[in-house]
Every structure is written in structure tokens, then in C-alpha cells.
Amino acid sequence: MSDQPITYASAGVDVHAGDRAVELMKESVRRAQRPEVLGGLGGFAGMFDASALQGMRRPVLATSTDGVGTKVAIAQAMDVHDTIGQDLVGMVVDDIVVSGAEPLFMTDYIACGQVVPERIAAIVSGIARGCELAGVALVGGETAEHPGLLDPQEYDVAGAATGVVEHDAVLGPHRVADGDVVLALASSGLHSNGFSLVRRVVAAAGWAWDRQVPELGRTLGEECLEPTRIYTRPLLAFVRDLGEDLHALSHVTGGGLAANLARVLPAGTLATIERSWTPPPVFTLVQELGQVPQPDLEQTLNMGVGFVAVLDPDRAERAVDLLTEAGIDTWPIGTVERGDGGQPDADVVQGAKGVDGGSVRVVGSYRP
């Protein structure tokens, strides 16, 4: 029996701090709404009026969930918490867009060792800003204090979103045809994958996150915390414009460009990709600083390409113009043809993440 009364607060959970965090995040959440949202912050469930779907012929719901991995460790080391939320939104909603679906609403989950209201509010402000950029409603979330499992300064974030698409408008391998062109859409940097590798390289070099790096034009930490680009709105406009001439999209996340492209190609096809672009300096820095073999680098990081589109070659020029006008550098990087590339080797990725998809061969050298 304890000598002193044990309270929830003495066990490490401060419910008053949680209430304060909710008050601080209200304004951010208020900006991340859509007309279909019912109710407000603090309910047991977020509610979204689905009556608009009644006008669809055969609505298909699409859902995705994700986190941002060990990038949170850099945010914690830098004590910068208002960008990691945008990373979370990008990782979740842009996976939904791959199917051609419009993301509608999102929820978030933050686990922390100690609720520091200002820190939690900063994280949520980034989530809300990402939802604004994507045109997605932030309908709810949860902040959980886990003393004893996480240190007071530690936290992790995760989220889930739901979208909708007409059944006959779903993008994917069933649309991809022989002769299709593959376009690359530029990333904003490292995005939110491969940070276990990046952190290991930085630690081995003995570099600090506040180190000024001339080739980056800012500190290493600032470069690494550059938020994930959110492609949702430009891509949805792109999907509407190209219609049936757009065949597949792929979000370049964990596994790199080749593996993620292979997931959206049908079995029996081969995409040949040319390393025809110059990766942003941060990728070269990681490679040289850690002597990272190129295959390992390409299987881990996006190398400057955050999305790829597979489409009818007759629409390629129009597609490049559309995305460039939307502020996303876009360029052709390859073509799709029948075949599997022969026997799989180091240069060919065949299927990925349990998908019996097509094959991708990456050739050539990056431009200096």
C-alpha cells in the first residue's frame, strides 16, 4: 500500500494540460474544414455529411493511414514542431489520390510522453495547414499521454483519411497500356521516408542539426524538416483534365521510385526509367557523407521525385504544362512496354509490397 495518495497527475497524466492543448489548437482546426463537416471539436466522433455522394453513380470509398517515421526525432532535436503535421497529411492524403480519389476528411493521433500544450498545438497547426492545402477536413483527433513509455520530450504522430472516387474513374494497373509515358513530379526534398538512414549518416559524421551547409543554403536540420509536398489539389485538377488518358499515379514513398512505380503497373509490363535529372543537393550529401551505395540510396529515398504519372503519350505535353503551371516541376522519365525485363537482376524491380505488379528498370546516370 502506498504511503501517499496516488493521483492521475502523480502518475504522469495531466488532464488539465490536455484541455489547454485543445483550446490552443481550436483556431487551427477551424481553418481546416469543409462545408460537409457536422459538429465541432471535442465530440466523440467526427461527422461528415455524405449526402453529396448520392449524386455519384457508384461511389467507391478509399482510405489510408500512415505516420512520418523517425523524422519526428529531428523535429524534437530542433524543437520545431509546426511542420511535422504537414508531413503527416501529405503521407496520408496523397496515397488516396493515387487511386484517383478525392480525400474528404482526416483524423490524427498524437502519442507523447508529456502533454506540453504549446507543443501539441504546434503539431496540430501543421496538420491543419496540411489539410487546408489539400482541401481536406480535419474532423477529429486524439492526444494520448504515455508517461513511462515515452520520455517527456518524445512524441509520435499518425493519421487516417477517407476519400471517394467513381468506380469507373479508379486509376491503376488495369488502365496502363503499352507505349505509355512516365512523368516525374518533383519532390520538395526528402519528404518523410528514409530518415533512419539519414539520421545514421549524420550521427556517423558527427554533424549537428544546426550545422550550416553551404550546398543546402541553410542548416542541415532546416533542410531535413522541409515539409512533404502535398500534391492533392493539383493532381485532382490533373485527373479531371486528362480523364481516361491518365492511367496510373504512384506516390514515391518508402521503397523509392522503382518499387512504387512497379506497384501500379500490370504484370507483364516493363517501365524503363532514365536517370535524366539532377537530384537536389541533400541526396548527394547523404550519399557522399555516408558512402551510401547508390542502389541502397535509391531504394530508400525519393531522389527528387515525389510522384509519378503514367499516361497516354499523346497527352504528355499537355500534362507537363498543367502540372508546371500548378507549381510542380514535371518532366518525362520513361516509357512502359510489354515484357518483364528478363530475369530479375540488380537493375530490375519486379512487383513490390506484396503486389504482383510490373517491372521497372532504371538506367543511365544522374545529371551533375
Side-chain angles (χ1 to χ4, degrees), residues 350-368:
Q350 192 166 32
K353 297 193 176 182
V355 177
D356 185 20
S359 302
V360 177
R361 173 183 285 122
V362 185
V363 300
S365 301
Y366 294 112
R367 293 178 181 173

Side-chain angles (χ1 to χ4, degrees), residues 251-274:
H251 194 189
V252 182
T253 56
L257 190 156
N260 282 289
L261 175 56
R263 295 167 68 184
V264 301
L265 298 178
T269 59
L270 169 70
T272 301
I273 302 301
E274 294 274 353

Side-chain angles (χ1 to χ4, degrees), residues 57-77:
R57 298 181 304 279
R58 187 180 175 185
V60 176
L61 296 180
T63 185
S64 178
T65 185
D66 209 340
V68 297
T70 62
K71 189 169 183 175
V72 295
I74 302 173
Q76 291 157 20

Side-chain angles (χ1 to χ4, degrees), residues 238-253:
F238 180 64
V239 168
R240 289 190 294 269
D241 190 285
L242 266 70
E244 294 183 357
D245 292 330
L246 176 62
H247 299 157
L249 294 170
S250 182
H251 194 189
V252 182
T253 56

Side-chain angles (χ1 to χ4, degrees), residues 257-318:
L257 190 156
N260 282 289
L261 175 56
R263 295 167 68 184
V264 301
L265 298 178
T269 59
L270 169 70
T272 301
I273 302 301
E274 294 274 353
R275 297 184 181 94
S276 57
W277 69 96
T278 303
V282 66
F283 298 97
T284 304
L285 177 69
V286 171
Q287 182 175 26
E288 293 179 351
L289 197 61
Q291 300 183 59
V292 182
Q294 182 166 302
D296 199 74
L297 196 75
E298 293 181 333
Q299 292 167 16
T300 307
L301 304 178
N302 67 59
M303 302 305 292
V305 177
F307 242 93
V308 290
V310 183
L311 63 151
D312 187 309
D314 292 337
R315 300 299 301 278
E317 185 175 349
R318 168 67 175 168

Side-chain angles (χ1 to χ4, degrees), residues 124-329:
V124 174
S125 74
I127 297 172
R129 182 166 56 253
C131 286
E132 283 186 87
L133 290 171
V136 175
L138 183 58
V139 297
E142 170 70 5
T143 300
E145 201 167 19
H146 291 168
L149 292 180
L150 296 169
D151 289 339
Q153 76 280 5
E154 290 182 332
Y155 61 81
D156 196 12
V157 295
T162 298
V164 66
V165 60
E166 286 281 10
H167 182 269
D168 59 6
V170 172
L171 302 175
H174 62 285
R175 287 192 173 202
V176 175
D178 186 35
D180 275 358
V181 168
V182 181
L183 301 183
L185 284 63
S187 69
S188 58
L190 293 166
H191 284 186
S192 297
N193 295 103
F195 277 93
S196 293
L197 172 64
V198 173
R199 291 168 52 246
R200 179 70 182 88
V201 166
V202 171
W207 284 24
W209 295 112
D210 61 357
R211 181 189 180 110
Q212 287 286 342
V213 183
E215 53 263 53
L216 301 178
R218 53 182 168 178
T219 69
L220 178 62
E222 288 169 340
E223 176 70 28
C224 288
L225 288 184
E226 178 68 32
T228 300
R229 168 170 270 158
I230 295 178
Y231 299 86
T232 301
R233 283 185 169 174
L235 279 181
L236 289 176
F238 180 64
V239 168
R240 289 190 294 269
D241 190 285
L242 266 70
E244 294 183 357
D245 292 330
L246 176 62
H247 299 157
L249 294 170
S250 182
H251 194 189
V252 182
T253 56
L257 190 156
N260 282 289
L261 175 56
R263 295 167 68 184
V264 301
L265 298 178
T269 59
L270 169 70
T272 301
I273 302 301
E274 294 274 353
R275 297 184 181 94
S276 57
W277 69 96
T278 303
V282 66
F283 298 97
T284 304
L285 177 69
V286 171
Q287 182 175 26
E288 293 179 351
L289 197 61
Q291 300 183 59
V292 182
Q294 182 166 302
D296 199 74
L297 196 75
E298 293 181 333
Q299 292 167 16
T300 307
L301 304 178
N302 67 59
M303 302 305 292
V305 177
F307 242 93
V308 290
V310 183
L311 63 151
D312 187 309
D314 292 337
R315 300 299 301 278
E317 185 175 349
R318 168 67 175 168
V320 170
D321 289 343
L322 280 171
L323 292 168
T324 302
E325 288 171 7
I328 302 173
D329 288 340

